[in-house]
Amino acid sequence: MRLVPIVLVISALECMRGVTVSPACKCISYESSHTKVGYFTSPNFSQPYPDGIHCLLYTFVGEKDEMVELTLLEFDLQAPFHDSCDDAVTMYLDLKQPAVNEYTKPDAVLCGSIYNIPSVHYYSTKNILMFEFKSDDIRSNNTGFQGEFKFLKQDLFSTNGDLVSNTNCDYIIDSKGKLRRGKFFSPGYPSFNKMKSIHCKYTFAGSHNQRVKLYFKKVTLKGTESSCISSRDKILVHDGDSIESAVIAEYCDTESLVEVFSTGSNMLVQLFAKTIKSTEGFEASYEFIDDSIYPSSELSSTEPDREGGSTDLGSPSVVDCDRIIRSVNQAGQPTVSGNFTSPNYPNPYPANIQCRYTFIGKGRERVQIKFADFDLYHPTKESEECRCQCDLNARVTDKYSRSGDPEFSSSDTHPFCCVDVDIVEISTIINGESADVDDFCGKAESQMVMSSGAKLTVTFMSFGALNGATRDNRGFLGQYNFVTNFGIETGEMANDSACGFIYNSSVTKSGTFNSPNYPGRYPRNTECHFMFYGFPEEQVRIAFTYFDIEGIYPCLGNTESDYVEFSNFRASVDRKLPRYCGGNKPRVQISDGQFFRVTFKSNSMFDATGFDAKYQFIDVSNAGNINNQQASDSSAKTSGGGGSPSSTSSNGICLSCTCIFMCMQVSWCFLPLVSSYWQLVLL
């Protein structure tokens, strides 16, 4: 006799009629026809929920053109035991009918605290969402959960473009006959996609006088501690309509509020991913912009493109000095470089003014700033001399804040030498927010500064003279450059990476390479790859002459460290080679074969001066001489030596006695000095 399995079906339709399929299962139902927005809770919330809840089914049913959004506001269940959840919320997001059974595959199983669950937002793929809540027979003090539900229109997450025939997710978005702006999404966003492997292409085609602006509101891909080059889940943005066009942006983790501008009228976005799980993917918007609407602003123009006016800081003096400088002028010609100055330069500038200079590039361009002349009013000479020390202590203090010490905070963006004095502040955009890059005051010697993206802002503020003092300072003369090579003058730029450089033995047998913007501080949120290709009988030799990468060994993600890493493989991690950061200069590196990769990666939080290195392609028959070369290179100086761009010692601390004496009187300044000493001892 053949046994027929009995399938227990829990139907939301019967729940809504007040009938349960099993006495052990109770149902709570919410329908879009009753309310579009509401709240749900576990039993007895915010008191401990009962034990012995074997099946409590929450069901949300919308109209056919709707989807369900759940947001968990509070979540507190028993912690998992041996990776098993005895008390759990089990999510079902991909349902065609309001019914589940023991064969229905759950999309998420949640337990523990709100900090243990992968996301607080969950979306249905269609108009139905269900989840089951259960608790074991052991009494606990956990309070359960509280959440909000919304019924949303599905077309809120539809890509505004034409789906290419015979494809799953390739779109053509043309400015002719279409909206000048719209939205585009990864497949299934914001829920998930069921394709095993995803490769989507979004092609943006504008008119000849238009450029494309993309705005990635949110990117959530399966992050990796390694660089994007070894990630299988990534977004590539090409400056053109072909996969052969140069890559100008690359995302492989979590990003938000990122803008990208094309150089010409076309742009291509490629998405590569494995199966995208719940809440993963991206949401973005596009806009076709006429070049004539956004002209460049030359500083000498009588009709400059202004962004607001000057700010009055307490005096009748008002100077209209805000400027917007773009890398393409009104005639459509590039403005690669130029000068900008304080008002009246080289004559004394007025008191109580604020001037904002906004630089906007396109494509791969980064904004590079350097001051050829800098002379601002500063009341105390001692503070000027201590500039080096104060900046360094502020950065060391930021490192302290990673360990959770409440006495140290990274929120102090200005070292005390540049507080309440005339100042130039430089900021860039990181994840949609303005981030301070550097401040200059007095007669500071300025290093080159580079933006993290295509935008950079320089803000100049002067205050009233103190104690009746008069101003005779001439201000500043700044130089700007829109660069596409990240300040790296050697090698050939690669088209398949936003910041990639190729070095071929067939072109030259030896040379140098450096971090972006060297000898200035490297930009944040930047990843660069240096690819060395030798002949079959050759190996690659890398030696660093200068090394200053912000971070704490072993340079892992949990320490928020920037790093340099090496690999004998083009697109995968070389496990036998460690990362390097801090003042821990790498030893001489020798490739296993004819290929070698050096990767530099910085995060969004900190920066440093970077590195300068030499490379050489060596014939295998001469490999026996390498050990002698390594010995001679081991004496090369680390940070602060061997042509160092700063006056710091090898531990990165300014050694001015006056400076240290002043800082010892400030508690937050003295302790980082001690910390840096012990870091040296440990190294």
Side-chain angles (χ1 to χ4, degrees):
M1 178 177 174
R2 183 169 177 267
L3 296 177
V4 179
I6 300 175
V7 177
L8 175 63
V9 177
I10 305 171
S11 171
L13 297 178
E14 297 193 20
C15 285
M16 286 185 277
R17 293 198 301 266
V19 179
T20 60
V21 177
S22 168
C25 187
K26 298 182 179 179
C27 302
I28 301 175
S29 300
Y30 302 89
E31 294 182 76
S32 171
S33 58
H34 294 159
T35 180
K36 299 294 185 184
V37 180
Y39 295 89
F40 59 92
T41 67
S42 56
N44 298 341
F45 185 85
S46 59
Q47 301 298 316
Y49 53 82
D51 57 285
I53 300 176
H54 299 295
C55 177
L56 180 58
L57 190 69
Y58 292 73
T59 304
F60 304 83
V61 180
E63 303 294 337
K64 290 296 184 182
D65 61 347
E66 291 180 332
M67 63 188 304
V68 186
E69 176 192 62
L70 295 189
T71 302
L72 296 172
L73 305 175
E74 297 187 50
F75 194 87
D76 177 31
L77 302 187
Q78 278 188 31
F81 182 72
H82 293 307
D83 296 326
S84 177
C85 296
D86 294 326
D87 294 3
V89 166
T90 303
M91 292 280 185
Y92 301 94
L93 307 176
D94 186 30
L95 298 174
K96 295 181 180 179
Q97 299 292 330
V100 294
N101 59 46
E102 61 263 43
Y103 297 117
T104 306
K105 185 178 179 180
D107 297 299
V109 179
L110 314 178
C111 61
S113 75
I114 199 167
Y115 304 105
N116 301 128
I117 61 179
S119 176
V120 296
H121 300 288
Y122 294 89
Y123 298 84
S124 64
T125 59
K126 301 177 180 63
N127 65 319
I128 300 165
L129 186 151
M130 300 174 72
F131 73 83
E132 177 195 3
F133 173 49
K134 67 172 185 177
S135 65
D136 60 17
D137 295 324
I138 301 175
R139 191 75 173 174
S140 73
N141 291 321
N142 301 90
T143 56
F145 55 82
Q146 179 186 38
E148 181 183 32
F149 68 85
K150 293 181 181 179
F151 293 101
L152 307 175
K153 292 293 185 181
Q154 293 179 17
D155 59 13
L156 288 174
F157 301 98
S158 297
T159 294
N160 301 129
D162 297 322
L163 182 65
V164 178
S165 59
N166 300 319
T167 69
N168 290 315
C169 55
D170 289 359
Y171 288 88
I172 301 292
I173 301 169
D174 195 330
S175 66
K176 297 177 182 178
K178 297 288 184 181
L179 295 174
R180 295 176 60 92
R181 61 181 61 132
K183 297 180 179 180
F184 64 107
F185 305 88
S186 56
Y189 188 89
S191 185
F192 63 93
N193 175 78
K194 293 184 291 184
M195 290 187 290
K196 294 298 182 183
S197 181
I198 299 172
H199 179 202
C200 303
K201 291 186 286 187
Y202 307 81
T203 304
F204 300 87
S207 302
H208 72 280
N209 63 336
Q210 291 179 326
R211 288 197 293 135
V212 186
K213 171 186 173 182
L214 301 184
Y215 181 75
F216 287 91
K217 183 177 180 181
K218 185 177 181 182
V219 175
T220 308
L221 296 178
K222 193 170 185 178
T224 173
E225 271 203 348
S226 302
S227 62
C228 283
I229 199 170
S230 58
S231 174
R232 290 189 289 174
D233 296 358
K234 67 177 69 176
I235 295 170
L236 299 180
V237 182
H238 297 266
D239 195 14
D241 57 4
S242 165
I243 60 174
E244 304 299 326
S245 303
V247 173
I248 57 176
E250 187 172 7
Y251 311 112
C252 61
D253 200 342
T254 300
E255 304 281 347
S256 60
L257 309 178
V258 180
E259 284 185 342
V260 186
F261 293 86
S262 68
T263 300
S265 57
N266 300 321
M267 189 176 280
L268 171 67
V269 175
Q270 291 194 89
L271 169 66
F272 300 89
K274 297 178 296 181
T275 301
I276 295 181
K277 297 180 181 179
S278 178
T279 74
E280 293 180 350
F282 73 83
E283 60 175 308
S285 62
Y286 66 86
E287 183 177 2
F288 295 100
I289 303 173
D290 290 337
D291 280 336
S292 59
I293 298 177
Y294 295 94
S296 171
S297 173
E298 297 291 342
L299 295 184
S300 58
S301 172
T302 58
E303 298 274 337
D305 182 8
R306 307 190 188 281
E307 190 176 65
S310 63
T311 300
D312 186 355
L313 301 181
S315 161
S317 172
V318 176
V319 177
D320 191 5
C321 56
D322 286 1
R323 297 292 185 270
I324 296 178
I325 303 102
R326 299 179 184 272
S327 62
V328 176
N329 65 22
Q330 196 164 358
Q333 301 299 318
T335 56
V336 176
S337 61
N339 297 330
F340 65 104
T341 66
S342 54
N344 301 336
Y345 180 86
N347 298 314
Y349 55 85
N352 301 310
I353 62 168
Q354 175 173 304
C355 303
R356 183 177 291 110
Y357 309 82
T358 303
F359 301 85
I360 304 176
K362 62 187 184 306
R364 270 181 176 165
E365 289 176 343
R366 297 296 185 267
V367 187
Q368 195 174 46
I369 297 291
K370 183 176 177 62
F371 292 100
D373 186 21
F374 198 91
D375 177 28
L376 300 190
Y377 173 75
H378 202 298
T380 56
K381 183 178 180 181
E382 291 79 6
S383 292
E384 294 177 23
E385 294 173 350
C386 196
R387 167 76 178 156
C388 162
Q389 180 67 51
C390 298
D391 275 354
L392 219 12
N393 282 328
R395 290 199 292 277
V396 176
T397 301
D398 283 343
K399 293 180 185 180
Y400 249 90
S401 69
R402 303 181 206 187
S403 63
D405 191 329
E407 293 187 23
F408 299 95
S409 170
S410 61
S411 61
D412 297 328
T413 57
H414 299 214
F416 63 78
C417 339
C418 284
V419 173
D420 295 331
V421 296
D422 297 354
I423 187 173
V424 167
E425 300 176 338
I426 301 181
S427 60
T428 188
I429 302 298
I430 297 178
N431 287 336
E433 297 183 355
S434 178
D436 186 54
V437 176
D438 212 341
D439 304 330
F440 300 100
C441 60
K443 300 181 186 297
E445 291 186 9
S446 118
Q447 293 183 342
M448 289 186 297
V449 176
M450 181 175 286
S451 62
S452 296
K455 286 186 178 181
L456 183 138
T457 300
V458 176
T459 303
F460 168 50
M461 290 183 288
S462 69
F463 296 85
L466 300 178
N467 301 321
T470 59
R471 239 184 216 89
D472 58 1
N473 304 80
R474 59 186 176 273
F476 62 82
L477 167 63
Q479 300 171 336
Y480 68 87
N481 287 278
F482 292 99
V483 299
T484 57
N485 64 357
F486 292 81
I488 300 169
E489 302 292 342
T490 61
E492 176 188 353
M493 284 205 74
N495 266 354
D496 59 355
S497 175
C499 179
F501 295 84
I502 297 172
Y503 299 84
N504 275 306
S505 174
S506 59
V507 176
T508 181
K509 294 296 182 182
S510 63
T512 62
F513 66 102
N514 54 264
S515 55
N517 196 47
Y518 182 85
R521 294 185 195 170
Y522 53 74
R524 301 172 200 171
N525 258 15
T526 299
E527 180 177 313
C528 294
H529 306 282
F530 305 87
M531 308 284 191
F532 298 87
Y533 294 90
F535 288 109
E537 69 277 6
E538 290 180 329
Q539 290 176 302
V540 185
R541 178 180 183 274
I542 304 293
F544 287 82
T545 57
Y546 178 86
F547 194 85
D548 177 25
I549 303 296
E550 207 289 326
I552 300 173
Y553 191 79
C555 318
L556 300 179
N558 59 0
T559 62
E560 300 292 350
S561 294
D562 305 334
Y563 63 83
V564 167
E565 70 177 8
F566 308 94
S567 179
N568 287 284
F569 312 104
R570 191 191 184 285
S572 59
V573 177
D574 200 333
R575 302 294 181 187
K576 67 178 182 293
L577 297 177
R579 291 179 179 176
Y580 291 86
C581 63
N584 183 25
K585 188 184 74 168
R587 60 181 177 82
V588 173
Q589 300 290 318
I590 306 292
S591 67
D592 291 344
Q594 68 190 84
F595 173 81
F596 203 51
R597 170 171 59 87
V598 179
T599 292
F600 161 79
K601 187 171 184 178
S602 64
N603 59 34
S604 62
M605 300 181 66
F606 306 100
D607 52 36
T609 311
F611 68 82
D612 191 28
K614 297 178 181 179
Y615 70 89
Q616 185 178 6
F617 294 99
I618 301 175
D619 192 283
V620 174
S621 61
N622 295 327
N625 299 323
I626 292 176
N627 290 334
N628 293 331
Q629 293 172 337
Q630 285 181 336
S632 63
D633 281 325
S634 64
S635 61
K637 296 179 181 179
T638 57
S639 304
S644 165
S646 68
S647 60
T648 58
S649 68
S650 62
N651 64 347
I653 296 293
C654 178
L655 296 181
S656 164
C657 295
T658 304
C659 191
I660 293 178
F661 175 77
M662 289 179 62
C663 288
M664 286 177 65
Q665 301 178 53
V666 184
S667 61
W668 64 263
C669 194
F670 173 69
L671 286 176
L673 289 174
V674 179
S675 168
S676 298
Y677 167 77
W678 281 111
Q679 286 185 22
L680 277 180
V681 173
L682 291 175
L683 289 175

